[in-house]
Amino acid sequence: MKKLVVKVDLRDDRDRSKAMRVVSGFEGVGSLSMDGKDNKLTVSGDFDPVKVVNKLRKSWYTDIVSVGPAKEDEGKKNEDQVANFVKAYEAYYSTPVTYYCVPPEETPNCVIC
């Protein structure tokens, strides 16, 4: 997980939405947020920051503020919540056990004395 913060020179809301649409199209982008005052775009997830910055620089002046690992606590906390939900689901909706009884075969030629 990586976290990228860039300052993008955006003029209006149309540019903001266009920039967010461009960045959200990359594979591995987990979350995306924009600070309207400072025009800072924060991207986190499993993506290539170089490709994102290069794509933004094709249309707007872009400065890199920071690049680094995202907080791992949030990801682990989310995974723990998902694991707890799965355990609760499995406990509530347990798989029913089905027994099959096969009737004994009748053999007319067999005589027990």
Side-chain angles (χ1 to χ4, degrees), residues 1-12:
M1 295 286 291
K2 297 176 186 123
K3 182 177 179 183
L4 170 70
V5 180
V6 291
K7 186 172 182 178
V8 185
D9 186 24
L10 303 171
R11 291 180 221 104
D12 54 3

Side-chain angles (χ1 to χ4, degrees), residues 28-110:
V29 173
S31 67
L32 184 65
S33 64
M34 172 73 86
D35 184 14
K37 269 185 162 176
D38 299 331
N39 287 333
K40 288 186 181 178
L41 181 66
T42 304
V43 185
S44 63
D46 191 24
F47 63 97
D48 187 8
V50 175
K51 289 182 181 180
V52 172
V53 172
N54 284 339
K55 187 71 171 185
L56 286 172
R57 283 186 176 166
K58 286 182 180 180
S59 300
W60 303 281
Y61 180 76
T62 305
D63 285 331
I64 300 173
V65 176
S66 68
V67 178
K71 292 182 180 178
E72 294 295 328
D73 296 337
E74 293 175 7
K76 289 181 182 178
K77 185 178 180 181
N78 192 14
E79 289 175 8
D80 291 342
Q81 288 177 347
V82 170
N84 287 338
F85 286 136
V86 169
K87 287 179 186 176
Y89 180 82
E90 288 175 350
Y92 189 75
Y93 294 106
S94 61
T95 306
V97 178
T98 307
Y99 297 100
Y100 295 101
C101 296
V102 179
E105 296 179 18
E106 296 180 16
T107 54
N109 297 335
C110 181

